[in-house]
Amino acid sequence: MDRADIPLNALRVFEVAMRQGSFTRAAEELRVTQAAVSHQIARLEDRLGVALFLRASGGLVPTDEGRLLYPVLEHGLDGIARTLSRITGRRDVELLKIGVNTTFALGWLLPRLAAFENAHPEVDLRISTNNNRVDILREGLDMAIRFGNGSWTGNDAVPLVAAPLAPLCAPSLALRLSEPADLAQMVLLRSYRSAEWPGWFEAAGAPCPPVTGPVLDSSIALAQLAAEGAGVALLPVAMFARQVAEGRLTQPFGTTVSAGRYYLTWHSDRPQTNGMARFRQWVISECARAT
């Protein structure tokens, strides 16, 4: 396609629709009607001869062609914006959007953010938290910090810090625990990862009792319930060091089990910007110093 034939306006509408994940929200950002957004996308799809979105009940689902086009287009538009800012004399500040697992955000990242901001004033860092379920492309993020095994389809990942799990509970409950078998008399609070408690009991050399406590999808919520004496939670101890130091939680047994690590991830087709590189270098260095 010749440069003269590139449909710039339709491409800009497509970029916003991908980033927002919705024609309605794209229309709000562009200050046009939803019909106008839909029309521009339809024109672009006709021009390219491929579908860029599948319309589903849950919202827009990008096709393979849409996923291929988006990171290249986003990178190009960001480059144009930075160059125009320099031409007009504005300070060149890069907006960097990172989705972060809530446990890691509260237990590790947020207390250290001021150090990054002071070292890199050229990066405007925006943090959004999640319960470890995140779609970088659909949510318009540059990077994400998540917990797991480092394997996420379509994403590159670098390990940050290990987070072995151990039982944590209120000090009053810990007084009733002298050996792992005593946990059979306790409410064992559970995450959605059902293999965690059986794995810990195996590591501790004790039989795993029936685990019938409440299931929560947030370690923060599990820690809160445990601190209130509602049961014993299996948690990444390093992320709750402050609560342990303050005496709100205690670790009754030294046995730990690994269920994964925290990783910094980004879409494999996403070109690395200066801000992404700066944050990557900083967070890897800080995690190494903390271990």
Side-chain angles (χ1 to χ4, degrees):
M1 183 178 291
D2 294 335
R3 288 187 178 181
D5 295 329
I6 295 177
L8 293 176
N9 191 47
L11 287 170
R12 178 169 180 261
V13 172
F14 166 75
E15 187 274 334
V16 176
M18 279 288 288
R19 175 159 44 79
Q20 293 286 2
S22 160
F23 284 179
T24 300
R25 292 195 295 271
E28 292 172 355
E29 178 175 330
L30 294 167
R31 298 183 181 180
V32 298
T33 65
Q34 181 179 345
V37 171
S38 181
H39 178 68
Q40 287 288 351
I41 297 299
R43 286 186 58 195
L44 182 59
E45 290 176 327
D46 287 343
R47 186 74 172 274
L48 298 177
V50 297
L52 298 173
F53 294 106
L54 299 176
R55 283 69 169 177
S57 59
L60 295 179
V61 178
T63 63
D64 290 342
E65 290 79 7
R67 292 179 180 273
L68 177 65
L69 176 60
Y70 176 69
V72 177
L73 180 59
E74 183 188 37
H75 180 64
L77 291 174
D78 285 345
I80 292 171
R82 287 193 296 270
T83 301
L84 291 177
S85 294
R86 284 194 289 268
I87 291 173
T88 57
R90 292 174 54 198
R91 186 181 179 194
D92 187 20
V93 176
E94 178 182 342
L95 176 62
L96 185 64
K97 295 166 287 185
I98 300 182
V100 184
N101 171 286
T102 302
T103 302
F104 187 87
L106 296 179
W108 193 95
L109 181 61
L110 295 184
R112 294 172 168 84
L113 272 189
F116 176 82
E117 293 169 348
N118 291 334
H120 298 288
E122 76 280 7
V123 179
D124 181 5
L125 188 60
R126 306 286 178 86
I127 299 295
S128 60
T129 58
N130 59 68
N131 64 354
N132 212 48
R133 295 181 176 92
V134 60
D135 187 326
I136 291 176
L137 194 63
R138 182 160 185 169
E139 296 177 31
L141 301 171
D142 298 300
M143 310 179 98
I145 294 175
R146 62 181 95 181
F147 182 81
N149 61 8
S151 179
W152 291 279
T153 303
N155 287 263
D156 291 337
V158 293
L160 296 179
V161 63
L165 306 177
L168 294 180
C169 63
S172 58
L173 286 187
L175 295 175
R176 297 156 53 187
L177 299 172
S178 59
E179 58 183 27
D182 294 336
L183 287 168
Q185 309 304 317
M186 299 289 173
V187 174
L188 301 182
L189 305 170
R190 298 177 289 166
S191 80
Y192 59 89
R193 293 182 287 268
S194 60
E196 289 178 348
W197 272 116
W200 184 85
F201 276 101
E202 181 179 359
C208 182
V211 182
T212 59
V215 178
L216 294 93
D217 66 355
S218 165
S219 293
I220 302 297
L222 287 168
Q224 182 65 33
L225 281 178
E228 293 173 357
V232 182
L234 198 58
L235 296 167
V237 181
M239 297 298 112
F240 295 94
R242 178 169 55 85
Q243 290 88 332
V244 172
E246 293 172 350
R248 288 185 285 150
L249 289 172
T250 191
Q251 182 181 345
F253 305 111
T255 300
T256 63
V257 64
S258 176
R261 302 174 66 93
Y262 288 100
Y263 288 82
L264 177 65
T265 68
W266 60 93
H267 195 271
S268 299
D269 295 329
R270 177 74 156 88
Q272 291 279 292
T273 67
N274 179 69
M276 292 170 69
R278 294 287 182 269
F279 183 80
R280 175 181 174 178
Q281 293 164 2
W282 175 82
V283 73
I284 290 174
S285 175
E286 287 294 308
C287 285
R289 288 202 312 166
T291 56

